[in-house]
Amino acid sequence: MAHTHQAHEHHGGCPSCEDDQKHTKYALLSEFGDLDLSEYPGIDLAFVDEAKLDDFYVYLKPQYGLYFRTELKFHVVVPVGYPQKAPKVTADTLIYHPNINRTDGDVPLSSWWGKEEGFRGMRRLLAYLIVILQSPDVLHPVNFPATLLVDKDVNQFAKNVELSLKGGVVDGVQYPRLLPE
């Protein structure tokens, strides 16, 4: 019989669940211990609770590209079962982008997380956030109008990004002002 966490959550800790929690904690301790943020210009991390590594914010200042001169905030929640299970990433700073859900800020990772061993981990997650801001992943979109525009008219896409970063309305969504006047 397959083990499910849901079946045990209300009964207290089952041994297998506790092992998964320990493995997740160990993986995070190891990864954050080895993480050198100087390798990721424009990125800072802030933990919700310093004693827990499974809930944190990524502050990202893109160094170039369409989102340059902005500071974006992403919330990352790491599930039990990490690194086999992908973290939940949400853009707390709503932006017009093909890989960010325009209503709730969800940044799905399932398209690449865990496909290969080397494509997991915090380094890969930080790199992914940087890369999609410089070059959207049009093969795995969640904002379909933005994705279609990237393929059809990249100049209009760039104008829409600029409008959204200035606090404008794009595709019926009001975006917060992120660029100075």
Side-chain angles (χ1 to χ4, degrees):
M1 177 187 289
H3 175 75
T4 61
H5 291 281
Q6 292 79 13
H8 296 285
E9 286 177 344
H10 65 280
H11 294 297
C14 70
S16 182
C17 295
E18 289 173 12
D19 287 347
D20 288 349
Q21 289 170 340
K22 287 178 185 175
H23 180 74
T24 298
K25 183 177 180 178
Y26 176 77
L28 290 171
L29 281 170
S30 175
E31 286 189 51
F32 284 120
D34 292 340
L35 189 63
D36 179 2
L37 285 180
S38 69
E39 295 175 14
Y40 303 92
I43 287 190
D44 264 326
L45 301 179
F47 293 90
V48 173
D49 178 349
E50 289 291 332
K52 298 170 118 184
L53 300 176
D54 61 353
D55 191 359
F56 60 95
Y57 293 96
V58 175
Y59 294 89
L60 196 150
K61 292 180 183 178
Q63 302 299 292
Y64 56 89
L66 296 175
Y67 301 93
F68 178 67
R69 299 184 315 147
T70 64
E71 181 175 36
L72 308 174
K73 180 180 176 185
F74 296 89
H75 186 201
V76 180
V77 177
V78 181
V80 171
Y82 174 88
Q84 284 69 34
K85 291 185 180 177
K88 169 89 171 126
V89 178
T90 307
D92 279 8
T93 309
L94 194 59
I95 60 171
Y96 177 77
H97 192 282
N99 303 112
I100 298 175
N101 187 301
R102 60 189 176 157
T103 57
D104 64 8
D106 185 43
V107 182
L109 303 179
S110 59
S111 64
W112 61 270
W113 190 272
K115 302 295 185 209
E116 295 179 36
E117 189 69 30
F119 285 92
R120 293 188 207 135
M122 287 303 139
R123 289 173 187 225
R124 178 67 174 136
L125 173 63
L126 296 177
Y128 178 76
L129 292 175
I130 292 167
V131 167
I132 65 167
L133 291 173
Q134 295 165 0
S135 179
D137 178 6
V138 295
L139 298 177
H140 303 100
V142 292
N143 180 343
F144 294 100
T147 304
L148 292 173
L149 203 51
V150 168
D151 283 339
K152 183 177 160 187
D153 186 349
V154 74
N155 292 326
Q156 184 60 50
F157 172 74
K159 289 177 185 176
N160 284 1
V161 169
E162 184 175 357
L163 176 62
S164 71
L165 296 176
K166 290 181 176 178
V169 176
V170 179
D171 293 336
V173 176
Q174 174 76 51
Y175 290 89
R177 175 174 275 286
L178 299 176
L179 290 177
E181 301 258 351

